[in-house]
Amino acid sequence: MPHEGPGHAADWLAAHGHSLTFTKLFEPQPQFPSLADFDGLLILGGAMSVHDEETLPWLLAEKAFIREALRVGKITLAICLGAQLVAEALGGEVRPNHAPEIGFWTVRFSAKSLEHPLLRGWPEKAAVLHWHLDTFTVPPGAMRVGMSAATATQGFVWGDGVIGLQFHPEMTVAMVEQLMADEEHEQAEEQEFVQTAEQIRSKLKSVWKGRKLLESLLENLVAVHVKEINLLKN
């Protein structure tokens, strides 16, 4: 989506000397990079479903690209729709959640997942931003990261360098405001797992909790990549 971007991830990557390139799938004839041209893959969200291939044929090309990136072992961080695409590529199932989850809700991270190298430094729980209708099952061979009251699977880790998150740790305050405008959420009524625009604005300080999770995760992902390089040198 034109108004969704890497947010806090871009800030961290720039501050640590990493370059960031973009493949904008909403533009005509998007060009995917060569696998040799990047070290890590960041797959972001969108309002569409992973199953909208007939109306959005670029999804087929994106899915093929993701499968190839996973096959060659690229470190990968996938968020919301991105996590659903990676889950499907790894053999998981993407389907409608029993209820939409929109707003700042608490995710509890399992003790086992917190032992994984990518989640080193994460707390047992955090209130983070959610904006999704679909959910996914944990892919075969992956580990569930956590759960919220509305969604049984809030993420997964696969191997040492692939993680998918259903929630949005990357979003800045400005991005949340833009998302509410894009989704015409101003007049939305409160539901069991849907907060109003006013309720979301009252919790905007929680974007910094998401940012801390994301920065810790990016640091851990880069450490995994450096370790792989060192192993190759040996």
Side-chain angles (χ1 to χ4, degrees):
M1 303 291 287
H3 292 123
E4 290 198 31
H8 293 308
D11 296 338
W12 188 92
L13 291 167
H16 290 79
H18 303 287
S19 60
L20 185 64
T21 61
F22 295 83
T23 301
K24 299 179 179 179
L25 296 168
F26 51 83
E27 294 183 346
Q29 299 180 326
Q31 297 296 313
F32 291 95
S34 166
L35 293 174
D37 289 341
F38 66 92
D39 298 313
L41 187 60
L42 174 60
I43 312 172
L44 299 175
M48 62 288 298
S49 165
V50 301
H51 304 302
D52 289 344
E53 295 171 349
E54 287 191 11
T55 55
L56 300 170
W58 52 259
L59 276 168
L60 291 169
E62 183 181 17
K63 289 180 179 183
F65 178 77
I66 290 171
R67 288 194 298 269
E68 190 63 12
L70 293 172
R71 185 188 68 80
V72 300
K74 295 292 183 180
I75 59 171
T76 300
L77 167 58
I79 296 172
C80 199
L81 174 65
Q84 295 166 10
L85 287 165
V86 173
E88 184 185 68
L90 293 173
E93 179 187 358
V94 180
R95 61 195 180 204
N97 201 22
H98 70 92
E101 186 176 28
I102 296 174
F104 288 95
W105 303 96
T106 297
V107 173
R108 298 183 182 277
F109 306 110
S110 69
K112 186 176 181 180
S113 69
L114 292 176
E115 295 174 358
H116 194 281
L118 294 185
L119 273 62
R120 185 174 60 250
W122 276 28
E124 294 181 355
K125 62 181 180 179
V128 288
L129 180 70
H130 307 260
W131 205 292
H132 67 102
L133 305 179
D134 289 350
T135 187
F136 51 83
T137 60
V138 179
M143 179 194 303
R144 185 172 65 173
V145 163
M147 64 186 300
S148 64
T151 306
T153 304
Q154 279 290 345
F156 63 89
V157 286
W158 185 76
D160 292 331
V162 176
I163 182 166
L165 300 174
Q166 182 58 70
F167 58 92
H168 285 278
E170 85 286 6
M171 286 210 172
T172 65
V173 170
M175 289 172 67
V176 177
E177 288 286 357
Q178 184 64 57
L179 181 58
M180 288 197 290
D182 291 344
E183 295 292 324
E184 299 180 350
H185 195 69
E186 205 64 48
Q187 303 305 319
E189 296 182 357
E190 182 179 4
Q191 300 176 41
E192 184 177 8
F193 299 111
V194 175
Q195 296 168 351
T196 65
E198 181 180 359
Q199 289 171 325
I200 291 173
R201 289 193 178 98
S202 72
K203 301 175 184 293
L204 281 174
K205 287 184 178 180
S206 290
V207 299
W208 298 104
K209 297 179 182 178
R211 179 173 182 169
K212 289 186 67 175
L213 294 178
L214 181 66
E215 290 178 343
S216 177
L217 174 56
L218 289 170
E219 183 176 348
N220 294 338
L221 277 166
V222 169
V224 166
H225 177 64
V226 170
K227 181 180 178 182
E228 289 177 349
I229 292 175
N230 288 337
L231 286 174
L232 288 174
K233 286 181 178 179
N234 293 331

